[in-house]
């Protein structure tokens, strides 16, 4: 592939991984196979999130049974607790959590900047004035009203306070690579600066240039660590495309990172990150995928809504992650064919039928909605387990159906049928 050939066949090398397109539809949609040392991922694929090396309330075995092909954990959380050195000592993320399949870690940038500065809500198009942009030290700053600013970005990295105990920490591109190599996931992401839709155009340009320079440093550190850590299989590094809502910035970032070469090392795939307005999702992903190399996989960070999945896949995205299916499940919200519903509602008290008649998940094939309603009312822990299994299966299965439709040429028919049927659903 694109990196220097290994001196010996036993050394970890980008040649051990790859992405092959198996079907195409329309201008940009594709199905493919992503190869990692821990197995293949058939794409498009939904990648469930296990923030702290666990999908909350669910066994890894259950995630495998419901069809999850890979899991994504967060570098920031695992760095703070239990520490990447400990995960490394345990044999890496997959072995530590008893998940034999492929794993992803994010770079930590999103959490460091969004949790640190308390501006997570601002990323969403639902932003309704609960935060305000303000100028501090001559730079744009977006801090949620009433929140202390806990992250500071400079050209070398980010200084932030731990959400656990307030201790001060610092991430740089090199530190993010060291953490992610220690965690040992198959797919890692380059450290990038997260901006919001509220930042000025001038600030977006500065941040994008910083992200480009950080990407170069990530590749260099990744090359160094790969050569040093020969006891582990090759870990892929994917570059992250930022640029907010600006076409020229998104395209430039995709061209820069797509062609980036640091002493023979290039990115194995790409993430599309940052502020994405729901109404422009397809357009923005389309700008980026048009510029990126065709033969490398693209991951869209943080989406799981039904209509968004179709839009993103049509625009050329291959994998997706989102914490929503498990997060809302713990609050008794479940996805169904007719939309998202709350199981604590009185109408479920005597629904002696599955949550969704159409669902083939373990929960729906073994338990009634009335039972799960009771568990929530009685505040029993099993409620979270059963609902998480249902919601994760719902999204995984939908993306499986989309993949099948790309292979059979029925994508448009499925999109029409499903978008109508699921109208107003999962949020
Ligand atoms: Zn179900």
């Amino acid at each position: 592939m694109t990196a220097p050939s290994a001196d010996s066949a036993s050394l970890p090398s980008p040649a051990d991984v790859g992405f092959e397109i198996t079907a195409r539809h329309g201008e940009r949609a594709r199905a493919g196979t992503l190869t990692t040392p821990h197995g293949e991922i058939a794409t498009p694929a939904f990648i469930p999130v296990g923030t702290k090396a666990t999908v909350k309330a669910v066994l890894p075995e259950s995630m495998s049974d419901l069809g999850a092909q890979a899991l994504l954990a967060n570098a920031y959380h695992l760095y703070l607790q239990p520490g990447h050195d400990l995960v490394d000592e345990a044999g890496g993320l997959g072995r530590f959590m008893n998940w034999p399949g492929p794993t992803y870690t994010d770079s930590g940038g999103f959490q460091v900047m969004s949790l640190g500065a308390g501006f997570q809500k601002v990323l969403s198009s639902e932003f309704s004035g609960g935060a305000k942009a303000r100028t501090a030290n001559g730079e744009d700053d977006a801090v949620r009203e009433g929140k202390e600013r806990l992250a500071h970005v400079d050209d070398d990295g980010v200084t932030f306070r731990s959400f656990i105990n307030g201790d001060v920490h610092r991430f740089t591109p090199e530190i993010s690579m060291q953490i992610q190599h220690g965690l040992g996931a198959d797919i890692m992401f380059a450290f990038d600066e997260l901006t919001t839709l509220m930042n000025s155009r001038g600030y977006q340009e500065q941040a994008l240039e910083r992200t480009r320079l950080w990407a170069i440093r990530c590749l260099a550190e990744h090359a160094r660590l790969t050569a040093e850590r020969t006891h582990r299989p090759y870990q892929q590094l994917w570059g992250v495309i930022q640029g907010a809502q600006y076409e020229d910035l998104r395209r430039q970032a995709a061209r820069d990172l797509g062609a980036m070469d640091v002493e023979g090392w290039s990115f194995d795939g790409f993430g599309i990150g940052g502020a994405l307005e729901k109404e422009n999702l397809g357009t923005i992903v389309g700008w980026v995928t048009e510029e990126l190399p065709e033969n490398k996989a693209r991951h869209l960070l943080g989406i799981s809504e039904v209509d968004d999945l179709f839009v993103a896949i049509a625009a050329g995205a291959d994998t997706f992650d989102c914490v929503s299916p498990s997060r809302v499940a713990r609050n008794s919200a479940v996805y169904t064919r007719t939309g998202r519903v709350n199981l604590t509602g009185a109408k479920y008290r005597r629904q002696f039928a599955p949550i969704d008649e159409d669902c083939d998940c373990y929960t729906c094939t073994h338990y009634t909605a009335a039972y799960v309603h009771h568990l929530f009312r009685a505040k029993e822990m099993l409620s979270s387990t059963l609902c998480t299994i249902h919601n994760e299966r719902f999204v995984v299965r939908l993306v499986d159906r989309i993949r099948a439709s790309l292979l059979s040429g029925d994508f448009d028919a499925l999109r029409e049928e499903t978008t109508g049927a699921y109208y107003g659903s999962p949020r």
Side-chain angles (χ1 to χ4, degrees):
M1 307 243 334
T2 43
S5 55
D7 296 334
S8 138
S10 64
L11 292 179
S13 150
D16 303 338
V17 301
F19 179 65
E20 191 185 345
I21 296 171
T22 50
R24 293 176 191 276
H25 176 81
E27 274 182 59
R28 286 195 265 284
R30 68 255 193 100
T33 306
L34 183 57
T35 303
T36 81
H38 292 92
E40 293 184 343
I41 301 171
T43 67
F46 178 69
I47 316 298
V49 176
T51 300
K52 299 179 186 176
T54 169
V55 178
K56 292 188 200 308
V58 178
L59 290 169
E61 292 85 341
S62 299
M63 294 307 297
S64 175
D65 289 347
L66 67 82
Q69 302 186 69
L71 298 179
L72 181 145
N74 296 113
Y76 167 78
H77 291 87
L78 294 174
Y79 156 78
L80 290 177
Q81 184 181 49
H84 54 287
D85 290 348
L86 188 133
V87 176
D88 194 13
E89 204 180 313
L93 176 65
R95 183 166 294 179
F96 186 46
M97 67 183 290
N98 190 32
W99 170 260
T103 46
Y104 290 55
T105 47
D106 65 3
S107 69
F110 179 89
Q111 280 79 17
V112 164
M113 288 173 237
S114 63
L115 297 182
F119 68 12
Q120 199 166 16
K121 287 277 184 203
V122 185
L123 291 171
S124 144
S125 54
E126 291 163 23
F127 165 64
S128 60
K132 61 180 180 182
R134 65 185 187 208
T135 303
N137 306 323
E139 285 191 350
D140 284 32
D141 202 358
V143 181
R144 202 183 301 173
E145 197 98 32
K147 288 268 184 177
E148 186 191 350
R149 187 173 210 288
L150 296 178
H152 290 273
V153 180
D154 58 57
D155 287 344
D156 186 53
V158 183
T159 302
F160 61 96
R161 286 187 183 277
S162 158
F163 78 98
I164 297 174
N165 58 14
D167 287 355
V168 175
H169 297 263
R170 185 162 172 80
F171 272 16
T172 63
E174 289 77 15
I175 291 171
S176 173
M177 286 298 98
Q178 289 155 18
I179 292 168
Q180 291 188 79
H181 270 267
L183 293 173
D186 296 299
I187 294 167
M188 312 178 286
F189 289 96
F191 190 65
D192 58 325
E193 179 175 354
L194 172 73
T195 59
T196 79
L197 296 171
M198 291 164 55
N199 288 116
S200 66
R201 162 79 193 204
Y203 189 80
Q204 301 285 5
E205 289 174 12
Q206 284 175 33
L208 200 64
E209 176 59 7
R210 202 150 33 217
T211 291
R212 189 183 70 83
L213 296 172
W214 288 359
I216 294 170
R217 288 166 56 187
C218 283
L219 272 174
E221 183 68 0
H222 169 60
R224 187 185 75 77
L225 290 165
T226 300
E228 187 181 285
R229 295 169 53 86
T230 54
H231 59 295
R232 286 291 167 77
Y234 182 70
Q235 295 177 252
Q236 303 185 38
L237 178 60
W238 293 16
V240 178
I241 312 300
Q242 293 283 356
Q245 70 273 43
Y246 298 103
E247 179 172 1
D248 58 334
L249 298 186
R250 285 278 180 187
R251 286 186 184 276
Q252 188 60 50
R255 281 196 297 271
D256 286 344
L257 270 68
M260 193 168 275
D261 181 306
V262 177
E263 294 179 13
W265 289 77
S266 57
F267 289 114
D268 301 293
F270 299 91
I272 302 169
L276 290 167
E277 295 163 296
K278 185 180 171 66
E279 55 275 25
N280 295 330
L281 180 72
T283 308
I284 293 173
V285 174
W287 296 333
V288 170
T289 58
E290 207 172 291
E291 305 291 344
L292 286 175
E294 263 293 292
N295 61 348
K296 294 186 177 180
R298 302 102 178 225
H299 180 85
L300 188 55
L301 294 137
I303 67 157
S304 66
E305 291 182 38
V306 172
D307 47 352
D308 290 349
L309 289 167
F310 278 97
V311 166
I313 290 168
D318 303 302
T319 64
F320 318 87
D321 74 273
C322 192
V323 76
S324 288
S326 69
R327 181 176 287 162
V328 303
R330 297 193 300 281
N331 291 313
S332 65
V334 289
Y335 302 156
T336 75
R337 271 173 304 153
T338 50
R340 182 171 135 179
V341 300
N342 196 304
L343 281 180
T344 55
K347 63 186 275 199
Y348 298 102
R349 188 169 152 81
R350 288 192 166 75
Q351 185 178 311
F352 301 113
I355 293 167
D356 187 341
E357 294 278 5
D358 191 43
C359 183
D360 64 357
C361 83
Y362 186 84
T363 301
C364 290
T365 53
H366 292 77
Y367 301 93
T368 64
Y371 178 62
V372 184
H373 167 92
H374 156 69
L375 293 177
F376 273 113
R377 288 294 181 131
K379 299 192 170 19
E380 285 292 337
M381 290 186 286
L382 186 58
S383 57
S384 294
T385 303
L386 294 179
C387 280
T388 303
I389 288 172
H390 169 81
N391 279 358
E392 294 285 7
R393 173 63 187 157
F394 184 94
V395 182
V396 164
R397 187 186 186 199
L398 175 68
V399 177
D400 285 352
R401 290 179 67 198
I402 298 176
R403 181 171 64 249
S405 79
L406 289 170
L407 297 170
S408 65
D410 299 324
F411 178 80
D412 293 331
L414 179 69
R415 184 177 189 172
E416 198 168 318
E417 172 200 324
T418 312
T419 304
Y422 291 80
Y423 182 74
S425 73
R427 288 203 63 85

